[in-house]
Amino acid sequence: MKALDELTFDNRFARLGDAFSAHILPEPIDDPRLVVASLAAMALLDLDPAVADSPEFAELFSGHKLWADAVPRAMVYSGHQFGSYNPQLGDGRGLLLGEVYNQAGDHWDLHLKGAGQTPFSRMGDGRAVLRSSIREFLASEALHALHIPSTRALCVIGSSTTVWREKQERAAMVLRLAPSHVRFGHFEYFYYTKKPEQHQALAEHVLAMHFPECREQPQPYLAMFRQIVERNAELIAKWQAYGFCHGVMNTDNMSILGITFDFGPFAFLDDFDANFICNHSDDQGRYSFSNQVPIGQWNLSALAQALTPYISVEDLQETLGLYLPLFQAHYLDLMRRRLGLTSAEDDDQKLVEQLLQLMQNSGVDYTLFFRRLGDQAPDQAVAQLRDDFVDIKGFDAWAALYLARVAREGDLDQDQRRTRMHAVNPLYILRNYLAQKAIDAAESGDYSEVRRLHAVLSNPFEEQPGMASYAERPPEWGKHLEISCSS
Ligand code: AMP
Ligand code: MG
């Protein structure tokens, strides 16, 4: 276990030089105070849990103090936003403080979001508000607990500094952890600005740091692109299987590691709705829930374009062609498991699609349906769940297919089935209304709710005593909360 001043830094990205990032010091926020910390994330840095409560912790993660070995940098990148190319993005309000090594030899980027203006801030104030910092923190740690790859969050630090959004709000900072902060947009930036030397240096850096095994391949860049396609196909399969809607799948928000990245107006589905648009600013529904699948491919094509100096168009196209089949295979595998199936049959895809259509028509809760399906023996479970469907005849027809399908798997022990299904079907998810309640309390200075919610979501598959209310469907006020890009 380490004290805060024992972290070891090695700033490899900073060493790439000024063409890749600008050296900027964090601009502190006033009266820093700990809102919430993730002990699990602290463990990734070998940090002693006790340090979270020290004044130094709040000072370090609010820009008041800095390690002597940290070299804070604002990264430059560009990207496609809502389908249009934006030539200059970059870290407008976040800084890569440095890369920390833990005892196991893993390295973690420490990224402080809300750390003030940078050369890439454009018209922005360089700040993040408490509300969006809490949402990023909770989502990062909740996704991780659901086994969905994501950036992690170490803590949120609140302040008395005021910032203006649609109204006056308090500034905060969130400390994000990831093995890399390189986005698709990094490659796009050097491709479109026609800087072949830097472009290649970036590619070599990413290859060496994050895809070392690809260097053994005859075409290392192609092997790397293939891995990026595979990881993103698997990631988006997990989003779709668990009802996670990212909200702003711009290419600057896509990680080369295939981890969920840059949280804004995200949402987990309450009722199943394939057409759900979680981002209030997304008028066209470009990033609706079901569009995430083709948008994943669109974004990978944007990355492919930026890799044309190294890889032939034929090879890029062939590799892009792997995305959809890989997505479908992962998705179907997850959905089979969510249904409690242990074998594969040709018609399983249809079984899933029919169920989702029925859920869509009746507005059935996407999380609780699967949880309850495992609670009891299959015939008893479907008999109970039937009441949630408006189209009872339709549901009965589906249930008959499902029960026959389960029967073909042979004898089953309900205790084992429940354990198996509950291990993949969470009871608790980060519903927007739960996040909102925690945010409302935190905005009035009470951090107990955000801490409790974080604790519940850290263990989403296990029923926790006294926490039944966290598994409930949203109340009327919490069903259609409007979450915008403003953060
Ligand atoms: P995001 O929507 O958070 O992915 O941000 C898109 C771009 O806008 C990135 O380049 C951000 O750094 C920048 N940005 C967002 N909010 C701010 C802000 N308050 N101040 C400066 N830059 C910002
Ligand atoms: Mg972003």
Side-chain angles (χ1 to χ4, degrees), residues 183 252-253 262:
R183 309 145 188 257
D252 57 302
N253 293 337
D262 241 351

Side-chain angles (χ1 to χ4, degrees), residues 235-285:
L235 175 69
I236 294 171
K238 288 181 175 162
W239 288 356
Q240 301 310 112
Y242 284 97
F244 178 77
C245 203
H246 181 287
V248 202
M249 285 175 73
N250 295 334
T251 56
D252 57 302
N253 293 337
M254 298 290 292
S255 157
I256 50 126
L257 298 180
I259 58 182
T260 315
F261 198 92
D262 241 351
F263 301 86
F266 68 84
F268 281 88
L269 297 182
D270 290 306
D271 298 353
F272 181 79
D273 180 5
N275 307 316
F276 183 67
I277 302 166
C278 61
N279 181 352
H280 186 56
S281 322
D282 182 5
D283 302 325
Q284 311 287 318

Side-chain angles (χ1 to χ4, degrees), residues 61 73-75 77 90-99 108-115 136 151-155 173-178 181 183 261-262:
F61 300 120
R73 308 287 296 201
M75 293 169 136
Y77 49 83
D91 289 335
R93 55 158 163 183
L95 295 174
L96 179 61
L97 292 182
E99 298 167 53
W108 289 96
D109 283 0
L110 266 54
H111 177 100
L112 190 59
K113 190 165 178 177
E136 167 146 5
T151 55
R152 301 293 302 275
L154 189 84
C155 63
M173 292 190 194
V174 59
L175 195 284
R176 177 161 77 194
L177 297 175
H181 274 71
R183 309 145 188 257
F261 198 92
D262 241 351

